[in-house]
Amino acid sequence: MTSHTLRAPTRLLFGPGPSPVHPRVYEAMREPIVGHLDPFFFEVNQEIARLLRTCYGTANEFTMVISGTGSAGMEAAVANFVEPGAKTAIFANGYFSDRLAEMAGRHGAEVVRFEKPWGEVYSDEEAREFILRERPAVVAFVQAETSTGAYQRPHAIGATAREVGAISIMDCVTSLGGMPVDVDAAGIDVAYSGTQKALGCPPGLAPITVSPRGVEWLRQRKTKPVSWYLDLKLLLDYYESAHRYHHTAPISMFYALREALAVIEEEGLEARWDRHKRNHELFVAGLAEIGVEMLVAPAHRLWTLNTPKVPEGVNDLEVRKTLMARHSIEIAGGFGPLAGKVFRIGTMGYGSTEENVRLLLAALKEALGR
Ligand SMILES: Cc1ncc(COP(=O)(O)O)c(C=O)c1O
């Protein structure tokens, strides 16, 4: 065992995340850490909350960060808003909506599912009809389904959930910072994300935002959430009002997120969305030129994560191994019903550039022998 300074290889991260990290974010992580009760830390937090509100498209006062990855954001949403016995309606069209259903079940929910084949999404009418029929206490769905590359419009879901008095939960892990999220415009009560996708930051934190209606619901909740660590009321006491110790926040990751969000503000959120859309479209056009088709219909594709179909007779694992061996390029394969059928290729955050798209296309063309 050698004990010299650690050196990690430089990979080209074009998988479903983590995505490439902006150099300014790496630099921010080298800043000296302060204590988790230091006023400077809370100032950084305030700034993070302000910048996150813009990305989420919300005025929600309750916008904070969970110390944990995207799944911690998901579990915080479920643990706080799904009470034992609560009927929870899940739009089940991919791996991460299955995870939402699994978590809700573990928290004691009565789960009802609206199944769709992976890669498809729900029309406004279908969403509305499901919620009106089930009249659930909670509705949960994934806006940007990383297992399929499909984007779910949130507006009809949010509006109908409010109509029946349900709390709506939206997973924005692969949309935040790369595509419109529209929390307020869609009337969503709880939205969470992760740092390692279109925000251009390492994995490790889960930004979450809760509507005033959601906060009021929480205030009235009689039972305590089973999870102590993810109890949003306790977290509020730490980050906001009393600054009472709750856990030792990972300070360097908060610096990283602050810097990633500052980079987004400087670029301009709409300019950033345009960049993601442009590079996604360039990639899709280049794939078409080499005869590779996409899984998802054009109107429902994510700009952050592309799912080209694996061409007939091609072994996806061999292609992925070749890309890694020859170019240090990481992409991912499909899983579940899409195993062996699609590639999952990220064009997100700092990684979404024209130069990267051209590099990816050239490497893929070579690996596919086209
Ligand atoms: C849509 C979606 N939700 C939740 C998660 C879970 O996030 P994490 O892996 O950071 O825990 C992911 C991770 O890829 C995701 O893509």
Side-chain angles (χ1 to χ4, degrees):
M1 182 76 183
T2 48
S3 58
H4 50 76
T5 305
L6 177 75
R7 292 277 177 251
T10 304
R11 307 273 191 238
L12 299 171
L13 296 172
F14 302 132
S19 67
V21 171
H22 195 287
R24 260 176 66 183
V25 173
Y26 279 132
E27 273 169 37
M29 294 179 82
R30 293 161 52 128
E31 286 298 297
I33 65 162
V34 297
H36 57 286
L37 298 174
D38 192 302
F40 177 74
F41 174 65
F42 294 116
E43 274 170 36
V44 170
N45 244 303
Q46 288 295 319
E47 202 177 351
I48 287 175
R50 176 182 72 78
L51 294 164
L52 277 176
R53 284 185 196 106
T54 309
C55 293
Y56 269 124
T58 188
N60 288 344
E61 187 59 30
F62 189 118
T63 300
M64 63 155 74
V65 178
I66 307 283
S67 301
T69 65
S71 305
M74 187 188 283
E75 194 128 25
V78 170
N80 285 275
F81 292 95
V82 177
E83 284 186 293
K87 189 175 196 183
T88 302
I90 307 277
F91 287 87
N93 60 346
Y95 175 83
F96 290 101
S97 48
D98 280 350
R99 186 178 290 185
L100 265 170
E102 168 68 18
M103 279 189 191
R106 287 183 185 214
H107 285 273
E110 177 206 342
V111 174
V112 288
R113 297 165 59 97
F114 182 177
E115 307 280 349
K116 275 253 176 177
W118 286 27
E120 291 186 17
V121 294
Y122 305 84
S123 68
D124 289 356
E125 297 70 36
E126 285 172 330
R128 191 171 155 71
E129 198 265 327
F130 174 52
I131 296 169
L132 290 179
R133 187 180 68 237
E134 295 294 346
R135 306 196 84 79
V138 182
V139 173
F141 70 103
V142 178
Q143 180 178 56
E145 183 45 85
T146 325
S147 62
T148 67
Y151 178 86
Q152 174 61 48
R153 245 177 69 78
H155 305 79
I157 299 179
T160 319
R162 290 219 168 145
E163 213 176 305
V164 302
I167 291 283
S168 56
I169 297 177
M170 174 164 82
D171 179 315
C172 315
V173 171
T174 299
S175 43
L176 192 71
M179 299 184 70
V181 168
D182 282 344
V183 166
D184 285 1
I188 298 297
D189 292 310
V190 188
Y192 60 85
S193 189
T195 41
Q196 75 273 24
K197 312 261 185 178
L199 295 179
C201 202
L205 294 179
I208 188 166
T209 187
V210 179
S211 69
R213 181 173 177 264
V215 173
E216 187 48 35
W217 186 95
L218 256 191
R219 203 166 280 134
Q220 308 231 346
R221 179 176 172 160
K222 300 278 182 314
T223 56
K224 286 183 182 176
V226 172
S227 171
W228 178 89
Y229 186 66
L230 298 172
D231 184 328
L232 291 176
K233 281 197 240 175
L234 296 182
L235 285 168
L236 208 55
D237 247 14
Y238 169 38
Y239 286 118
E240 301 292 332
S241 39
H243 292 326
R244 219 188 312 275
Y245 163 71
H246 177 267
H247 67 285
T248 311
I251 305 293
S252 309
M253 271 308 302
F254 280 73
Y255 293 169
L257 178 56
R258 183 273 179 204
E259 203 63 13
L261 293 168
V263 167
I264 293 176
E265 187 179 47
E266 286 165 33
E267 180 176 3
L269 191 58
E270 296 203 354
R272 191 178 177 91
W273 293 340
D274 285 348
R275 170 165 66 82
H276 279 77
K277 183 166 189 280
R278 216 173 37 245
N279 291 320
H280 153 74
E281 285 171 352
L282 185 69
F283 186 49
V284 173
L287 288 171
E289 273 173 29
I290 56 171
V292 178
E293 293 171 4
M294 302 294 288
L295 172 76
V296 178
H300 308 305
R301 287 178 193 154
L302 297 177
W303 305 336
T304 46
L305 194 271
N306 309 276
T307 43
K309 290 186 191 165
V310 176
E312 202 66 41
V314 169
N315 179 319
D316 78 299
L317 185 60
E318 286 308 317
V319 172
R320 288 189 278 132
K321 277 192 193 155
T322 303
L323 291 178
M324 179 54 81
R326 292 200 195 145
H327 306 283
S328 268
I329 287 179
E330 178 184 285
I331 65 164
F335 51 99
L338 297 179
K341 296 195 178 141
V342 296
F343 297 111
R344 293 184 305 134
I345 304 180
T347 43
M348 54 182 139
Y350 183 55
S352 169
T353 65
E354 186 178 328
E355 190 190 359
N356 281 344
V357 168
R358 298 207 186 281
L359 178 83
L360 259 171
L361 284 169
L364 264 175
K365 192 171 168 183
E366 180 198 58
L368 290 170
R370 304 208 159 199

